[in-house]
């Protein structure tokens, strides 16, 4: 193993070589900087982490502060859920696609809903004309939901649903379908996006004003905690804001700000967020 002296000599030669290389290169129009504006060093080494306490600041895998993963052996012991975002046309068409993906080795479902479903319109509403089944599957009734998950074991497969303003409705349908099949909601696993704040910021598929929408979200938190405890009640997204034109730094900042607002709203509703 090399000592600090040997490393210092190698680093010095490397720095000299880099200086010669950069002298020949064209200057960048916008050099990389941190969010505070200061220059980003070309190289970081262990010397830059001298004040870091590995146990305090990094911890161990599977332990707080979880900087090294939420499981002790991470994906060596348990692979991530593999799910392809899919949804189009009718409930039957999307069901066929979902069952095909599961047959090919996919381990979970990720459902896309069309814009009328996302904004609370029935497919036969005049406002839905031209949008039914286009960017996701059209779901109008619980019967549609039954077809969507026909021959899919809801007690064994987790389902992610990209739905926000009407998340409570689609989740209620999902739970009702499970109950009709005799499946206890306590064993259901999955996720609803349920992130309405980014709809006001960038995407636009909101229905109610912000305050009532936040009340619906915290009501979902409370109900799921008691009735569907394995369900992930929110998935906060910043992707849409970046697509709408914000910078990478703004994307992270706005996403974290939204998350803080959800935590604040849950606390104000009397929920134990840390439990």
């Amino acid at each position: 193993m090399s000592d600090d002296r040997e490393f210092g000599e190698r680093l010095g030669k490397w720095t000299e070589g880099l200086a010669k290389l950069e002298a020949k290169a064209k200057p960048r129009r916008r050099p990389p900087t941190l969010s505070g504006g200061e220059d980003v060093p070309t190289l970081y080494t262990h010397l830059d982490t001298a004040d870091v306490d590995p146990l305090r600041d990094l911890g161990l895998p599977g332990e707080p502060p979880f900087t090294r993963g939420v499981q002790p052996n991470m994906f060596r012991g348990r692979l991530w859920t593999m799910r392809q975002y899919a949804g189009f046309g009718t409930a039957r068409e999307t069901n066929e696609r979902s069952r095909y993906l599961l047959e090919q080795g996919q381990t979970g479902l990720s459902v896309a809903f069309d814009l009328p479903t996302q904004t609370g319109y029935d497919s036969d509403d005049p406002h839905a004309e031209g949008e039914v089944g286009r960017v996701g599957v059209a779901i109008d009734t619980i019967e549609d939901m039954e077809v969507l998950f026909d021959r899919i074991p809801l007690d064994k497969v987790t389902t992610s649903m990209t739905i926000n303003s009407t998340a409570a409705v689609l989740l209620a349908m999902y739970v009702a379908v499970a109950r009709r099949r005799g499946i206890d909601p306590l064993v259901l696993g999955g996720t609803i996006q349920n992130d309405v704040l980014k709809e006001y910021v960038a995407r636009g598929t909101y229905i109610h004003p912000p305050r009532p929408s936040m009340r619906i979200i915290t009501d979902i938190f409370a109900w799921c905690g008691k009735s569907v405890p394995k369900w992930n009640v929110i998935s906060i997204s910043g992707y849409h804001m970046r697509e709408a034109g914000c910078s990478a730094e703004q994307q992270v900042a706005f996403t974290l700000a939204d998350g803080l607002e959800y935590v604040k709203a849950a606390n104000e509703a009397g929920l134990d967020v840390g439990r």
Side-chain angles (χ1 to χ4, degrees):
M1 179 172 294
S2 60
D3 56 23
D4 288 344
R5 180 180 176 182
E6 180 185 353
F7 178 79
E9 292 175 354
R10 289 182 59 191
L11 182 60
K13 293 179 180 178
W14 182 89
T15 303
E16 291 175 5
L18 177 65
K20 294 178 181 178
L21 182 66
E22 291 184 338
K24 298 178 182 179
K26 294 181 180 180
R28 295 186 59 171
R29 295 178 61 184
R30 195 181 73 170
T33 61
L34 299 173
S35 58
E38 62 269 28
D39 290 342
V40 177
T42 305
L43 174 70
Y44 287 96
T45 73
H46 66 285
L47 300 177
D48 298 294
T49 61
D51 60 341
V52 173
D53 183 327
L55 285 179
R56 180 197 66 203
D57 300 322
L58 296 178
L60 298 173
E63 296 182 1
F66 299 106
T67 61
R68 302 180 65 186
V70 296
Q71 300 171 40
N73 59 350
M74 285 308 290
F75 300 123
R76 290 185 175 189
R78 175 183 171 185
L79 286 176
W80 55 90
T81 302
M82 301 179 190
R83 55 176 105 240
Q84 184 182 87
Y85 191 43
F88 53 87
T90 65
R92 177 58 63 193
E93 289 173 308
T94 298
N95 171 263
E96 291 173 357
R97 176 64 176 170
S98 296
R99 287 192 289 110
Y100 169 79
L101 292 171
L102 290 172
E103 290 168 0
Q104 302 311 305
Q106 183 169 285
T107 54
L109 298 176
S110 181
V111 183
F113 297 95
D114 69 0
L115 291 177
T117 303
Q118 292 183 48
T119 51
Y121 287 102
D122 287 332
S123 295
D124 59 359
D125 190 291
H127 290 90
E129 185 175 356
E131 295 294 342
V132 178
R134 289 192 61 184
V135 297
V137 60
I139 299 296
D140 299 304
T141 66
I142 190 172
E143 285 72 27
D144 290 336
M145 206 69 164
E146 285 187 301
V147 172
L148 179 62
F149 294 102
D150 181 35
R151 288 177 284 174
I152 293 175
L154 301 185
D155 54 341
K156 295 181 175 64
V157 172
T158 59
T159 302
S160 173
M161 295 190 282
T162 303
I163 196 74
N164 297 283
S165 298
T166 53
V169 177
L170 273 297
L171 177 59
M173 287 184 176
Y174 189 88
V175 173
V177 169
R179 283 176 170 161
R180 285 185 177 186
R181 297 184 188 174
I183 299 173
D184 190 338
L186 295 177
V187 305
L188 294 178
T191 304
I192 44 175
Q193 191 166 76
N194 201 25
D195 174 16
V196 78
L197 290 178
K198 62 101 170 43
E199 301 297 331
Y200 301 108
V201 176
R203 194 159 175 271
T205 63
Y206 53 84
I207 300 174
H208 313 292
R211 229 173 257 285
S213 292
M214 292 294 281
R215 169 63 189 273
I216 293 173
I217 286 174
T218 55
D219 284 350
I220 292 173
F221 290 172
W223 185 81
C224 286
K226 297 176 181 178
S227 305
V228 200
K230 292 186 177 181
W231 200 268
N232 296 310
V233 294
I234 196 165
S235 175
I236 304 165
S237 175
Y239 160 82
H240 309 83
M241 293 178 279
R242 185 69 190 278
E243 288 293 294
C246 77
S247 67
E249 294 89 349
Q250 289 171 328
Q251 175 187 358
V252 173
F254 291 147
T255 304
L256 291 174
D258 285 351
L260 291 173
E261 284 302 312
Y262 293 126
V263 171
K264 179 182 176 182
N267 282 328
E268 291 177 349
L271 302 178
D272 183 0
V273 177
R275 183 168 57 85

